[in-house]
Amino acid sequence: MPRFADNWVVDKCMFDYVAGGVCACCGFPHLFAPGGLEGMINAFSDLETDAATMELNAAKASPWPPDMRDQIWSDRLLLRFKMKKEMKGYRNFLEGVVKDGNDGGDDDGGGDGDDGGSGVVDDDDQDHDVSDAGEVDINDAIPILEKFCMNELSPRQIQGIFQLPRSELTEVLNSKYKICSAFAVVFCTVVEQVANFKVTGYPTDARSNSNGDNSEEIFEQNLKFKKVGRGFCVDIITSSGTINEKVLRMFLQRMVGLAGPTLLARAAKSSSSSSTSEGGGGGSGSDDDDGDVDGASSEVIESRGPSFRSDRRVVRLMIARYWADRLIEKYEEVKKMKDEANLRTIENAQVQ
């Protein structure tokens, strides 16, 4: 068994859980799952009926004590519920960026085209950003944000955004999502597994959306971990010290995916899955599906224990969100400064 494989995660979690325990406030999983372990697993809308059964059997066969196992599943469900509620915020931001880009050429008094989005509407009229139904195409935020990063931020600032110490992820889980139970032990161990993912020999965890969007997969392939200094990072700066436009665009495409419609992409359902699905556990492929919890079914069978593929995907999702949040802060900070400068210019012009 290679180090950092899923069986290693099980063993390390068991050791850390027994050695450290959990806080008393997290010891009541039954409050969140009246159906017990089976009810928690079936609560995930993204599990086919057969996949849910496999995960349930694998969980029951795991060496974890029942209370630890139930805590893990209850907080795994709680984390996804909270993260799903945050997707709307990313969509609102991206829609605002597109609208700012449409208005920028008219409002920007200085008007050399260096503001955030004049380049987006040059190839077409402004209506190309808005569908017939009035919805904003958030993909149009990609060139606007790319231009913002290239023109408004220095390579040093960009590099500062795209780095994340490993310990920060556990802190986010605790402080932002208020999760400090047995799942926090699993999460911390999975973060270490992600940092050493190449050692496992596993294939890529990510999946493409039904519409062919493979931004999650490309992000996973570009994600690196530096033991000294930067932690999780991407090669956002070239050897010559300039911003790597290709990597920047890759991340911006991933950032659009943070807005949904699903938390994690779910692979197209095979014909065998369709024939065995009975409707329970959310095998319909609805908009609420967010990637399978147990990873590939074959992986569960092969390892004879729980798979942490979905947890690894959530870890990478949190990394992408962390960087997106920092980029959003920079964008809004610069936008506020420009708005204040424009206001002062208008006031001075009125005085004269």
Side-chain angles (χ1 to χ4, degrees):
M1 179 186 69
R3 195 182 179 200
F4 302 113
D6 285 335
N7 287 336
W8 170 86
V9 174
V10 173
D11 294 341
K12 188 174 188 304
C13 289
M14 184 64 183
F15 175 81
D16 290 345
Y17 177 81
V18 172
V22 296
C23 60
C25 66
C26 300
F28 303 97
H30 60 278
L31 295 177
F32 299 98
L37 175 64
E38 186 173 0
M40 283 185 281
I41 292 178
N42 287 332
F44 282 88
S45 62
D46 45 320
L47 278 175
E48 313 283 349
T49 301
D50 55 345
T53 302
M54 288 181 181
E55 182 61 33
L56 178 62
N57 292 336
K60 287 181 177 179
S62 73
W64 293 340
D67 60 334
M68 178 182 179
R69 178 194 64 197
D70 293 351
Q71 286 177 23
I72 289 170
W73 272 97
S74 62
D75 279 335
R76 183 180 273 151
L77 181 62
L78 179 62
L79 176 62
R80 289 198 175 205
F81 173 75
K82 290 183 175 181
M83 294 183 76
K84 279 185 176 182
K85 291 177 65 176
E86 296 171 341
M87 290 193 298
K88 185 177 181 181
Y90 293 103
R91 171 166 287 277
N92 290 341
F93 168 75
L94 293 169
E95 289 179 350
V97 169
V98 174
K99 292 175 181 177
D100 288 343
N102 285 340
D103 296 338
D106 297 329
D107 293 350
D108 207 10
D112 283 341
D114 287 336
D115 58 291
S118 55
V120 176
V121 294
D122 287 342
D123 297 334
D124 237 48
D125 60 351
Q126 291 183 352
D127 293 336
H128 101 290
D129 291 322
V130 183
S131 68
D132 294 338
E135 292 185 1
V136 176
D137 184 358
I138 58 176
N139 285 288
D140 290 326
I142 294 176
I144 301 175
L145 289 173
E146 182 179 9
K147 194 168 187 179
F148 163 77
C149 292
M150 299 297 296
N151 294 345
E152 303 292 345
L153 301 179
S154 67
R156 184 174 181 180
Q157 288 175 308
I158 288 290
Q159 188 172 37
I161 290 174
F162 292 98
Q163 58 186 17
L164 175 63
R166 189 170 65 183
S167 59
E168 186 68 19
L169 286 167
T170 307
E171 178 61 28
V172 170
L173 183 74
N174 189 357
S175 61
K176 183 176 182 180
Y177 297 107
K178 310 301 182 185
I179 294 176
C180 50
S181 67
F183 181 68
V185 178
V186 173
F187 183 86
C188 184
T189 306
V190 171
V191 169
E192 186 174 356
Q193 185 186 37
V194 171
N196 297 276
F197 187 67
K198 289 184 178 180
V199 180
T200 67
Y202 291 153
T204 303
D205 289 328
R207 293 179 169 178
S208 299
N209 284 323
S210 56
N211 61 1
D213 176 23
N214 62 345
S215 59
E216 182 190 349
E217 181 179 357
I218 297 175
F219 177 77
E220 177 181 338
Q221 294 168 352
N222 278 270
L223 184 65
K224 302 179 184 298
F225 180 77
K226 305 292 185 182
K227 292 185 178 180
V228 179
R230 299 173 61 194
F232 290 105
C233 59
V234 290
D235 293 331
I236 195 68
I237 302 299
T238 65
S239 57
S240 60
T242 59
I243 298 174
N244 189 327
E245 296 183 40
K246 183 178 179 180
V247 174
L248 176 61
R249 179 168 283 265
M250 172 279 300
F251 175 76
L252 294 177
Q253 290 171 338
R254 181 69 187 108
M255 187 172 174
V256 169
L258 302 182
T262 59
L263 190 65
L264 296 173
R266 181 183 181 183
K269 190 162 66 171
S270 64
S271 57
S272 60
S273 298
S274 300
S275 62
T276 57
S277 177
E278 302 171 358
S284 61
S286 67
D287 289 342
D288 290 335
D289 295 338
D290 57 359
D292 49 6
V293 171
D294 62 340
S297 300
S298 59
E299 189 178 344
V300 178
I301 296 173
E302 180 182 353
S303 64
R304 303 297 180 185
S307 164
F308 298 92
R309 176 180 186 173
S310 182
D311 290 330
R312 292 192 296 268
R313 293 178 69 192
V314 169
V315 167
R316 297 187 188 100
L317 175 63
M318 290 181 67
I319 294 172
R321 284 188 171 195
Y322 184 90
W323 290 341
D325 291 344
R326 298 187 69 185
L327 184 58
I328 290 171
E329 289 175 3
K330 284 292 183 183
Y331 180 88
E332 292 180 341
E333 177 184 332
V334 172
K335 182 176 181 294
K336 181 179 178 181
M337 291 174 59
K338 283 190 172 184
D339 289 343
E340 291 175 349
N342 289 338
L343 182 59
R344 287 194 297 269
T345 301
I346 294 173
E347 290 175 347
N348 292 335
Q350 290 175 346
V351 171
Q352 294 177 357

